[in-house]
Structures are given as C-alpha cells and as structure tokens.
Amino acid sequence: MKKFSVIIPVYNRPDEINELLDSLSRQSYSDFEVIIVEDGSTLPCHEIVDRYAGRLDIRYIYKDNEGRSIARNAGIEASDGDYLVFFDSDCVIPPQYFESLNKYLTASPADCYGGPDAAHDSFSDTQKAINYAMTSFLTTGGIRGGKIQLEKFVPRTFNTGFSRKVYDHVGGFREMFSEDIDMSTRIKQAGFSIALIREAFVYHKRRVNFRKFLRQVYVFGMSRITLRLLYPDSLKLVHTLPALFVAGCVVLVTLGCTVSPWFLTPIGAYIVLLFADALVSTRSLKIAAMAIPAAFIQLWGYGCGFIKAFVLKILLGHGRNIDEEIRLRKGK
C-alpha cells in the first residue's frame, strides 16, 4: 500500500498527460501510485500511460464520459493509498512536491490540504498573463493561495488532497461547477482540518487563449451563486467584487462619455497599477501588457456570470438546485 494515491481525470488531453506523468516520474519522493481516469475521451492517452509503466506505479481506467467529478470518484474507488491527491491534467509537478508534502504532513498532520500554483518558464506568454490574472491580489484578492488573501484559503482540485478518512465520512465529489469548493465546504463543515501548504505548489497551465479563459471565469461567476444556494453563509464580500467592478466600469465609462473624461481616471489608474504589479511579478514588459486584458477578462467574465446567475436564481428564483450546472458540465 502506498502512502499517496494520485488521481487524475483526463478528457482528450494526451499531450498534457505526457508532461504531467513525466514530471511525476522525476519526484524525489516515490511512495505514491498514479491513477489515470479517462473520461470517455475520443483521443485516449493509454499508449502514453503505458510508456510510464516502468517508471511509475500507474494504473489506467477508461470509462464513459460522465464528467470529471465522477471520474475522480472512480479513481478514488480504485485507489488504496492512505492519502488521496488530485491534480488537473494541465499541471506540471515540481520534483520536490511529494517530498515537501510528506514532510509537512508528518510534522503537522492535516485531514485536507491544498497548495498554490505558479507559471512555469516553458508556459506561453498568454498562459503567464492568465496565471497572473488568476493569482494576483489586485484581481482575485489572493483567494487562490497567494500570500495576501481576502478570504480563508479553499483547496482547489488542480492541487489538493485529503485522507481516506475524510472520503469515508463526506463521500466523493459532486458533478457540478466549482465542485472543489463544494467538497472543501463539506470537509470543513464535517469538522476536519484544512491546511495550505505553500511548498507543495504546482505549475498550472490553465487556459491557452483568452476566449477559453473568458468562458472559464464566466462559469466560475455563475457557480458562485449555486454555492450560495447550497451554503447560504458561503458568499463573502470578496466574491461580489468582480460584479461591483463591472457595475463601476459601466457607470464610469457612461459618465466619462457623457459628462467628463475625468470620470475615466479610476479605470486608467487601475490599468497603470495592474501593469506595474504585473511587471514586478513577471519581469516581462510583454506579459505585463498582456496581463491587463487578462485581468479585465477575469473580472468582467466572473462578474457578468455572477450577475446573470444572481438575477436568474436569486431575484427570479429560477434554478434553485444544481441541475443546470450538471447539464452544462456534461455538455461542455
């Protein structure tokens, strides 16, 4: 029996799986198994998985397409490790990851943990700009594991894990958008401990272009209202900031065009601040410039999704369950 069971759902991403498995094969700590769950892909990765049979303790499961949460649950059922670890297929794992994870959990046992993400040097400039937009305090409030946060840390499935005891008590993932937040909430409500392990970070590619990024964050905004319906106390001020940003921009642009251009000053100041912060963070003029549209996409996409779901589900009372999210996920 291994200490860690690594469970990775995959759908039509054989190239990403190759990079991920290569990074796992280079770990300085090796007491883990890897379970790849192919969720009905038309571009299966079993041949790539076979290449690592001699380098990793690895298993491959193929199942009909039902969604990544159900795929994760299938991986859990096939695993036998003491601790369940989850990565997204678009991650690359630093070689010291499991060594750092084991060291932390040995010294400070935790029922559940999560780690931050970063941009690898090999990522495209667009991916690095998107990574900035998703992790900067100026855009997300640092809620994805940054050093400064406006909200308590919530583990996300691109880099998280929990003990088998947790799974036996709270069950598996629900097939819905923001399933990781739902799982973390259930774990917390059950009284289990949750830790942020900063040393256990991953390189997360996220979306490869702004169009896909916009779709992703739009869904994030909608799913926040679904979580509000499931857990009435879960909605915090930080979650409403993108919607307030959208409303503020609309008001300022309207006043700037109809009353005085000076009303555009706050938007201009925010753009300058974004550029300066991104330049310090990325040390690249090009990425800093690309971080500006990435940040506005992140805020506007999330904010518009939040506003739409708030109007439909809270004000109009439509969809007061997760059925819509399940249908959207399966049709994605």
Side-chain angles (χ1 to χ4, degrees):
M1 178 183 293
K2 298 290 186 178
K3 181 167 185 178
F4 300 104
S5 289
V6 180
I7 298 164
I8 305 163
V10 59
Y11 180 73
N12 287 341
R13 295 188 177 187
D15 291 340
E16 289 182 352
I17 282 295
N18 186 50
E19 289 185 89
L20 174 52
L21 293 181
D22 180 67
S23 67
L24 287 172
S25 72
R26 302 176 187 276
Q27 293 295 302
S28 58
Y29 176 95
S30 60
D31 190 14
F32 63 88
E33 64 174 351
V34 180
I35 301 173
I36 302 295
V37 185
E38 188 98 64
D39 187 35
S41 299
T42 57
L43 297 173
C45 63
H46 60 87
E47 292 184 359
I48 292 173
V49 173
D50 288 344
R51 298 177 197 169
Y52 291 89
R55 300 165 61 183
L56 290 167
D57 181 350
I58 190 167
R59 276 179 280 169
Y60 174 83
I61 299 171
Y62 185 92
K63 59 179 294 299
D64 292 337
N65 179 245
E66 296 179 280
R68 61 190 182 191
S69 290
I70 296 175
R72 289 191 188 100
N73 294 339
I76 294 173
E77 290 299 315
S79 69
D80 60 12
D82 294 328
Y83 218 92
L84 307 168
V85 176
F86 303 90
F87 298 130
D88 283 351
S89 62
D90 58 351
C91 290
V92 176
I93 315 303
Q96 77 285 352
Y97 180 94
F98 279 98
E99 182 178 353
S100 299
L101 176 61
N102 183 63
K103 181 179 179 180
Y104 184 100
L105 293 177
T106 300
S108 306
D111 301 308
C112 174
Y113 84 93
D117 62 332
H120 193 271
D121 289 341
S122 65
F123 289 4
S124 70
D125 290 341
T126 299
Q127 289 172 320
K128 292 176 181 177
I130 290 174
N131 182 78
Y132 170 83
M134 289 296 288
T135 58
S136 172
F137 178 80
L138 295 177
T139 53
T140 63
I143 63 176
R144 301 184 74 88
K147 294 182 179 180
I148 303 174
Q149 297 172 222
L150 291 180
E151 182 194 20
K152 291 183 178 180
F153 175 71
V154 177
R156 311 296 175 111
T157 43
F158 65 81
N159 179 17
T160 189
F162 46 78
S163 67
R164 191 165 295 277
K165 179 182 177 182
V166 168
Y167 172 68
D168 291 339
H169 186 85
V170 305
F173 292 92
R174 295 196 224 197
E175 183 53 35
M176 58 179 287
F177 291 120
S178 294
E179 74 282 358
D180 43 10
I181 302 177
D182 170 69
M183 173 61 87
S184 296
T185 302
R186 286 189 281 136
I187 291 173
K188 181 180 179 182
Q189 289 183 343
F192 291 105
S193 60
I194 298 178
L196 165 60
I197 307 179
R198 299 189 189 280
E199 297 80 6
F201 67 92
V202 301
Y203 299 114
H204 193 193
K205 293 181 181 179
R206 304 188 185 279
R207 295 299 184 257
V208 296
N209 60 55
F210 286 158
R211 180 181 62 80
K212 292 181 178 180
F213 180 47
L214 174 61
R215 168 61 180 168
Q216 181 186 44
V217 294
Y218 179 80
V219 169
F220 285 169
M222 291 188 66
S223 65
R224 177 52 65 179
I225 298 301
T226 300
L227 291 166
R228 160 65 175 75
L229 294 173
L230 287 171
Y231 310 105
D233 295 332
S234 66
L235 188 64
K236 308 299 182 184
L237 175 62
V238 65
H239 303 137
T240 68
L241 293 181
L244 295 175
F245 180 84
V246 170
C249 283
V250 170
V251 171
L252 290 173
V253 170
T254 301
L255 293 174
C257 294
T258 60
V259 179
S260 169
W262 284 105
F263 282 103
L264 300 176
T265 301
I267 298 176
Y270 181 65
I271 290 174
V272 171
L273 185 60
L274 276 175
F275 179 80
D277 185 63
L279 182 60
V280 171
S281 176
T282 66
R283 299 181 181 180
S284 167
L285 285 170
K286 181 179 179 182
I287 297 173
M290 295 177 69
I292 296 171
F296 273 79
I297 288 171
Q298 194 278 327
L299 291 166
W300 270 79
Y302 187 105
C304 289
F306 183 98
I307 292 170
K308 178 181 178 181
F310 181 83
V311 171
L312 291 177
K313 296 187 176 187
I314 302 296
L315 297 184
L316 300 181
H318 298 163
R320 290 187 175 275
N321 53 56
I322 63 173
D323 289 345
E324 179 185 356
E325 278 68 25
I326 293 173
R327 289 195 298 271
L328 285 170
R329 170 63 64 80
K330 287 184 176 180
K332 186 177 178 182

